Amino acid sequence: MESWRAQPLVFLVFLLPGLFWLALFFFIPLGLIWGIALGERVGPAEIEITWTLQNYIHALDPLYLGLFVKSFWIALLATALCLVLSFPVALAISFAPARIKPLLLLLIILPFWTNLLIRTYAMIAVLRTQGYVNWSLEWLWGVGKLLLAPIGFEPVLGESFTPLQLLYNNTAVVVGIVYVYLPFMVLPLYATLDKLDRSYLEASLDLGASQLRTFFAVTVPLAMPGIVSGIILVFIPALGTFLISDLLGGPDSQLIGNVIERQFKSANNLPLGSAMSFILLYITFVALALRAWLSRRAERDG
Amino acid sequence: MADRPGPLDYLRRWWLRGWILAVVVFLYAPIVCLVVFSFNDSRRNIVWQGFTLDYYGRALRNASLIEAFTNSLVVALVATVLSTIIGALLALALWRFRFVGRSAVEAGSALPIVIPEICMGVALLVFFTRVGWPTGLVWPLNLSSVIFSHVAFAFPFVTVVVRARMEGFDRSLEEASKDLGASEWQTFWNVTLPYMKPGLIAGALLAMTLSLDDFVITFFTSGPETLTFPVKVYSMVRFGATPEVNAASTVLIVVTILLTIIAIRLQSPAKQEG
């Protein structure tokens, strides 16, 4: 690396386009809503920045606070499910023979390259009352009835099959988030597990610890950086999602993302929407700071 | 005995194989169903009724859907070119130079990657209305707000990819080139750029998929005249799912999968030499 003074012109040509773009289309827009969050509506489309905290107070009144808490829990539950589902997958891939490793990884990444909207839409067809899950359940129900008929137990299954209401509720939102963001969890987990020093695992097993004990006492702590990265990569987008809750959720599955969207698109309460967006941003910053702190601590200890 | 899995042969344990299989089925089943349904000769029924290409024909005749698809491709193409240039230049600045505020620039340029998309979406929506960004221009100039927003979230990814590539570059090659009489520009063009190339291609393809894929930010920055494919599909889905949407989605899935496979093909030889 050299000082920029060695070639100031080259340096500026390299740096300025990115800096300009970042300033104009990222920091200025964010600065605008940061200001609007501290302002008041004075006309149909006019907002005066009065440095009031009223919008933040409004955004945290019980109605909206409840939504934040609900979004938080839904995102947390989905993240936890992602972690539990992904860990064995990441572990198995990182210990797989080198020959099939890239293939397995590709298998996990490929859906991630498919459009978010298309994947959410695909989930509707699976979960709706005439969807694939209910169709399979009905088939199983028919088989069960046939099997139970000779011993006279078929009334247990009822007169007719009632499809389960799988779509348009909170469960559907959680399933949708897990479905969409699962690869975000597998990849960082795989990245750490793949670099992990296997002799620790072997030592633990040689010294008589069971697989399960080795897993929780050795593998999981060593994989912590990947776990934290994965949690952040899933949790932050899940917290701000509005597409998944909009398409898969019911009337009671409104998340904070939906409320923000409404403030900007139809309710036209920009100050409130801006304040809510910034609360979401502050939560993100806290999460990122936490990760930085954890990784610094791990480096110091390691 | 030889066939018993070793203690760390996790992939050879049946329950882990079952687990992976279940996760893969979970990831693929909805997409496969969507694709299959697009060829199914029935509007509502999910049971196979026979093969048809009818919905592809209807999707093709749906003018607004085709318009949205064209918009998506134009946006993705222009945004990719701009993101690749801007992102790669910034990567070079960060890789090559020491300057005051370097870590601030580095962290700042990574922010669009990590913040919730909806925050960036609403911020850009407010920005474009406040600055009075011209609307109602002739096509494709009216796509500019969408294109510029896509560049804003895509170029940081290019920066990350290109920087990662440049980490492995041996600076003495540049010195050798200059010692042998090449100018600064010749050195860049003949030594640095060829080394960067796999990173540039990977970054460009990443930017392209991100742009084609984006719904949230486009949803906030596009107007009624400048819908992209995902935003158009969204409004169609809100009015009820139809097999035309499946057909159009299938086309987009095929396009992105092809792009991904090209990206991976281009990246893997680079890994071997590096």
Side-chain angles (χ1 to χ4, degrees), chain B residues 57-78:
Chain B
R58 277 193 220 186
L60 270 176
R61 285 192 298 274
N62 185 336
S64 63
L65 196 63
I66 292 297
E67 191 192 307
F69 206 89
T70 322
N71 281 347
S72 265
L73 291 181
V74 172
V75 168
L77 218 64
V78 182

Side-chain angles (χ1 to χ4, degrees), chain A residues 239-259:
Chain A
L239 193 64
T241 184
F242 83 95
L243 176 67
I244 298 169
S245 42
D246 191 52
L247 290 182
L248 302 181
D252 67 326
S253 331
Q254 295 285 302
L255 299 183
I256 206 64
N258 305 87
V259 179

